[in-house]
């Protein structure tokens, strides 16, 4: 049975954040809140944890995972970004956007789009997510928590505990969340392309 932490959505308790980070460092899978509903997360290097996430969501090998970062300071490690794209990202983070970028060799091949060699990257504004990332000191490998057959991210932590309590290691209850997905912006070419309109205002990228 997984652990279940109630973490204050605006003032996350450091003790519980640190306990969650210890579980991540042990290679475990957590459910945590983001701006756009709950997500599944693990460390980048944990292949077994990633495989567990794929089984939970019934994902195939073509699924694009996202690196969730505390800010843009780690960007150059994982993605190739020109100055214009960097300015756009800096002006619109943190926020409800996922950016598709050309991946560097630091990104494990299993996390990137095989055909395009791209990776998704986002900087959330959710206080719990930020606290986790700051305590962990590295990005989280993440994917939206959508159960098979559903079109939206899970938003109720009690429901998540009931459905996934035996297959994840920790559920963080950060309250009920909105379900609107992020706006996805492709920055791999000279001109930005809005791939999906969601919670983030697409206007800066049009």
């Amino acid at each position: 049975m997984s652990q279940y932490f109630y973490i204050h959505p605006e003032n996350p308790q450091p003790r519980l954040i640190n306990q969650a980070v210890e579980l991540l460092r042990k290679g475990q899978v957590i459910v945590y809140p983001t701006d756009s509903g709950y997500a599944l997360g693990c460390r980048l290097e944990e292949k077994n944890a990633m495989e567990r996430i794929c089984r939970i969501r019934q994902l195939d090998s073509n699924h694009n995972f996202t690196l969730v970062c505390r800010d843009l300071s780690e960007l150059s490690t994982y993605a190739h970004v020109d100055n214009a794209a960097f300015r756009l990202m800096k002006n619109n983070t943190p926020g409800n956007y996922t950016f598709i970028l050309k991946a560097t060799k630091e990104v494990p091949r299993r996390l990137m789009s095989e055909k395009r060699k791209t990776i998704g990257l986002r900087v959330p504004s959710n206080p719990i997510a930020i606290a986790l990332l700051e305590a962990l000191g590295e990005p989280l490998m993440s994917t939206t928590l959508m159960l098979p057959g559903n079109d939206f991210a899970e938003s109720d932590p009690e429901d998540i505990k009931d459905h996934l309590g035996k297959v994840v290691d920790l559920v963080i209850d950060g309250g009920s969340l909105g379900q609107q997905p992020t706006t996805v912006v492709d920055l791999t070419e000279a001109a930005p392309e809005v791939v999906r309109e969601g919670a983030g205002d697409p206007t800066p990228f049009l």
Side-chain angles (χ1 to χ4, degrees), residues 12-147:
Q13 304 94 313
R15 176 179 60 85
L16 294 177
I17 291 292
N18 289 335
Q19 288 180 30
V21 166
E22 283 305 305
L23 292 174
L24 286 166
R25 288 186 175 139
K26 291 177 181 176
Q28 299 189 341
V29 173
I30 71 166
V31 173
Y32 71 103
T34 73
D35 318 81
S36 56
Y38 281 85
L40 291 156
C42 67
R43 293 181 69 207
L44 268 67
E45 62 195 46
E46 299 293 345
K47 184 180 179 183
N48 289 340
M50 176 191 161
E51 290 171 351
R52 288 174 59 197
I53 289 173
C54 289
R55 288 195 295 271
I56 291 167
R57 280 212 45 200
Q58 298 180 13
L59 300 173
D60 61 29
S61 59
N62 295 319
H63 180 77
N64 284 328
F65 284 92
T66 299
L67 299 184
V68 180
C69 302
R70 57 188 165 177
D71 54 37
L72 297 180
S73 63
E74 298 155 321
L75 180 60
S76 62
T77 302
Y78 302 104
H80 299 290
V81 183
D82 63 26
N83 290 336
F86 181 81
R87 282 194 297 272
L88 276 172
M89 294 177 70
K90 187 174 182 182
N91 290 338
N92 293 281
T93 55
N96 293 306
Y97 299 97
T98 299
F99 300 102
I100 299 173
L101 305 165
K102 293 177 182 176
T104 69
K105 293 180 180 179
E106 294 297 318
V107 178
R109 288 186 63 180
R110 65 181 183 275
L111 301 187
M112 68 175 75
S113 165
E114 184 61 32
K115 291 181 180 178
R116 299 185 63 210
K117 299 294 189 291
T118 56
I119 188 71
L121 185 141
R122 65 176 297 199
V123 180
S125 58
N126 181 283
I128 295 173
I130 293 169
L132 280 172
L133 293 163
E134 288 180 345
L136 184 62
E138 62 187 71
L140 272 174
M141 192 222 72
S142 190
T143 187
T144 303
L145 176 48
M146 286 192 294
L147 295 175

Side-chain angles (χ1 to χ4, degrees), residues 1-2 29 40 52-53 56 163-170:
M1 196 71 181
S2 65
V29 173
L40 291 156
R52 288 174 59 197
I53 289 173
I56 291 167
H163 283 107
L164 299 180
K166 295 182 179 178
V167 294
V168 299
D169 302 296
L170 169 65

